[in-house]
Amino acid sequence: MRQLPAVNRFLDDPRIAAFEAIVGRENIKRSIAQTLEDARRVPLNGGYSFEALSATVIERLKSAQYDLLVPVINGTGILLHTNLGRAPLAAAALGAMQRIGAGYSNLEYDVERGERGSRYGRAVSLICALTGAESALVVNNCAAAVLLILDTFAKKRDVIVARSQLIEIGGGFRLPEVLEQSGARLVEVGATNKVYVEDYERALSAHCALFMRVHPSNYTIAGFVHEVEPKELVALGRRTGIPVIEDLGSGALADLAEYGLAHERTVQEAIADGVDLVTFSGDKLLGGPQAGIIAGSAALVARLRTNPLLRALRVDKLTLAALIETLRIWSAPERRTELPLYAMLATPMETLRERANAYAKALKGAAIVETTAYAGGGSVPQGALPSLAVALDPSGGASAAAGKLRKGDRPIIARIEDARLLLDLRTIQPSEDPIAIAALQTL
Ligand SMILES: *Cc1c(COP(=O)(O)O)cnc(C)c1O
């Protein structure tokens, strides 16, 4: 036992000391103590090796590092990857978070009048200018936006939804369950593949609160299908005095056809169709922070604002700071590629090819393969676009190599296809290339 190396010897080891900035000294001491404790429990067999013990300490510290929130490199080719934090933020949005987060701000204060001001005002004017909506509101996420609307207008009343739109998206957002949770009654109309405006009309009763359209974010129905045009449903809504709400989810403000994707219904189109309230996410195709945006009729938004639930769903100052800057980027079309999502979407294949060549040059046995990248994140069901990946066939197998990449200093999330390890370059930032290349070289 006395042959166990001293704690200080580990603390002084530069490979271990390097973790201090990341996980803190307490974590380092704890990892050393646990390692020594484990060593004491097994019978001594030929002496303790400092090298073997410090390797264990380093393994522990790496795990401790992943207990924190750490940046990763996204080699999956899925641009809005829910598990990897969806949309990366623009530099201007990050700057605003830093500026506003570091001190006090006029979050709810009218500086000119010297009195209480509106938390939402600045974001709302930008949303209205961009979408053509009369009014708007911002909450925590799109699920919260839907919940707030249902809670405000549809408690113990009917919400009429086409059966083909009763979606489940990732993370437990299952529309029938959200409806149930809010206390609204779901009335399904139509068949799975076909629904007509007459189906909505027949379902009407004195208990009807809303007509609801939901964007099927992650699937399409093809073949023998019939959908009700939004305008048709709006016309029925006007005739019967029932508001039409539409959960767009992805919240495209631009025509994605510009980026070689299928056209996605935009927020502006939904507002122009006369939909009374539209809901969408801040961190999908908007390319901003997690938030739920509600845009539409001023009278209905005014009622949402009086719901006490809004207090529980309200957004914080950092989100608002980032959202406002993101919306300001949208207000100036020439700034679009400041949003990392659109920079990735707009990257030409030639640029990816040049980067792929640099990888291939640095890596023995690497191949460049054509792949498909996806918008992802429950945003665009057919959001596939061409991309390039670096492919490796590591000797120990792709899955072991993927594990090794995940557990590097900067975790890299790769894709495995046909037993090969792929790193899709569309979702890897050019500034991350040297790190990715160095990690691949170790394989
Ligand atoms: C993604 C999505 C949501 C949920 O959005 P969050 O911002 O993740 O809460 C709701 N509805 C639709 C149609 C979606 O695509």
Side-chain angles (χ1 to χ4, degrees):
M1 299 290 172
R2 261 182 272 121
Q3 291 171 11
L4 272 173
V7 170
N8 277 339
R9 194 164 162 209
F10 293 100
L11 286 173
D12 292 342
D13 188 295
R15 292 166 305 172
I16 292 174
F19 280 92
E20 185 163 340
I22 310 167
V23 299
R25 199 164 169 87
E26 282 314 304
N27 258 321
I28 295 183
K29 283 188 182 162
R30 201 174 322 127
S31 299
I32 297 168
Q34 282 166 349
T35 305
L36 293 177
E37 167 120 17
D38 288 351
R40 273 189 205 102
R41 266 197 238 110
V42 290
L44 181 63
N45 184 11
Y48 297 105
S49 138
F50 176 73
E51 269 314 304
L53 290 171
S54 44
T56 309
V57 172
I58 289 169
E59 278 306 306
R60 281 213 156 89
L61 288 171
K62 278 188 177 165
S63 299
Q65 165 187 351
Y66 307 139
D67 285 344
L68 308 169
L69 206 48
V70 293
V72 306
I73 293 176
N74 176 4
T76 64
I78 297 168
L79 280 80
L80 294 169
H81 197 303
T82 302
N83 302 147
L84 305 182
R86 287 199 192 152
L89 294 176
L94 293 169
M97 289 175 95
Q98 175 127 36
R99 248 184 354 263
I100 298 306
Y104 301 108
S105 63
N106 61 346
L107 178 68
E108 279 187 11
Y109 189 77
D110 185 327
V111 178
E112 281 173 286
R113 296 209 183 111
E115 59 191 38
R116 181 157 189 223
S118 156
R119 168 180 288 255
Y120 302 104
R122 303 167 198 90
V124 166
S125 341
L126 284 161
I127 295 163
C128 293
L130 284 166
T131 63
E134 281 174 8
S135 187
L137 194 54
V138 182
V139 291
N140 243 319
N141 54 22
C142 189
V146 172
L147 184 67
L148 182 67
I149 291 175
L150 295 175
D151 185 85
T152 307
F153 300 108
K155 259 212 172 109
K156 298 203 178 98
R157 299 180 63 201
D158 295 352
V159 177
I160 305 183
V161 190
R163 189 160 278 135
S164 57
Q165 297 174 5
L166 288 173
I167 56 161
E168 171 180 313
I169 59 163
F173 185 95
R174 195 178 258 189
L175 195 74
E177 288 167 13
V178 175
L179 271 153
E180 189 184 330
Q181 180 69 35
S182 72
R185 268 194 309 261
L186 168 64
V187 177
E188 298 176 37
V189 295
T192 308
N193 56 335
K194 289 203 175 201
V195 62
Y196 300 89
V197 76
E198 293 77 22
D199 293 319
Y200 287 87
E201 210 163 351
R202 262 198 303 277
L204 269 175
S205 74
H207 313 292
C208 183
L210 299 169
F211 291 125
M212 182 172 191
R213 271 179 66 84
V214 185
H215 180 68
S217 340
N218 45 16
Y219 74 98
T220 51
I221 300 183
F224 193 53
V225 293
H226 188 269
E227 287 255 19
V228 173
E229 287 302 316
K231 279 193 176 128
E232 268 182 285
L233 193 58
V234 167
L236 177 65
R238 294 281 189 277
R239 197 142 47 74
T240 54
I242 309 278
V244 176
I245 65 168
E246 179 161 356
D247 180 23
L248 277 178
S250 50
L253 288 181
D255 182 358
L256 293 180
E258 286 173 39
Y259 299 94
L261 295 170
H263 174 77
E264 180 78 0
R265 179 166 167 79
T266 63
V267 180
Q268 296 91 313
E269 284 165 1
I271 297 288
D273 283 341
V275 172
D276 294 286
L277 289 175
V278 179
T279 53
F280 57 101
S281 283
D283 55 346
K284 289 186 182 171
L285 292 172
L286 194 74
Q290 178 188 305
I293 298 171
I294 305 172
S297 136
L300 298 185
V301 170
R303 282 187 56 197
L304 293 173
R305 280 176 194 273
T306 63
N307 186 334
L309 192 56
L310 178 60
R311 177 64 181 75
L313 304 177
R314 84 175 182 193
V315 275
D316 76 311
K317 59 185 176 186
L318 296 183
T319 302
L320 276 172
L323 181 64
I324 289 167
E325 287 309 313
T326 304
L327 293 167
R328 287 181 61 196
I329 292 173
W330 276 103
S331 311
E334 73 283 0
R335 292 183 62 193
R336 181 79 46 80
T337 49
E338 283 184 39
L339 299 169
L341 176 65
Y342 288 84
M344 289 188 272
L345 284 173
T347 304
M349 284 296 270
E350 306 87 79
T351 310
L352 294 181
R353 173 89 46 197
E354 278 164 27
R355 289 172 52 206
N357 286 337
Y359 276 76
K361 226 164 128 191
L363 297 163
K364 238 191 357 241
I368 301 171
V369 294
E370 291 185 359
T371 52
T372 306
Y374 294 92
S379 54
V380 191
Q382 295 174 320
L385 72 162
S387 187
L388 284 182
V390 178
L392 287 181
D393 209 346
S395 49
S399 153
K404 202 162 167 218
L405 288 180
R406 282 201 312 275
K407 287 176 235 158
D409 287 340
R410 181 83 176 270
I412 301 175
I413 317 301
R415 185 154 110 197
I416 297 177
E417 236 172 63
D418 299 331
R420 276 199 303 187
L421 183 86
L422 299 192
L423 282 195
D424 195 308
L425 295 187
R426 196 170 285 281
T427 46
I428 297 179
Q429 308 305 308
S431 62
E432 296 168 338
D433 284 344
I435 307 171
I437 289 173
L440 290 174
Q441 278 168 339
T442 68
L443 301 177

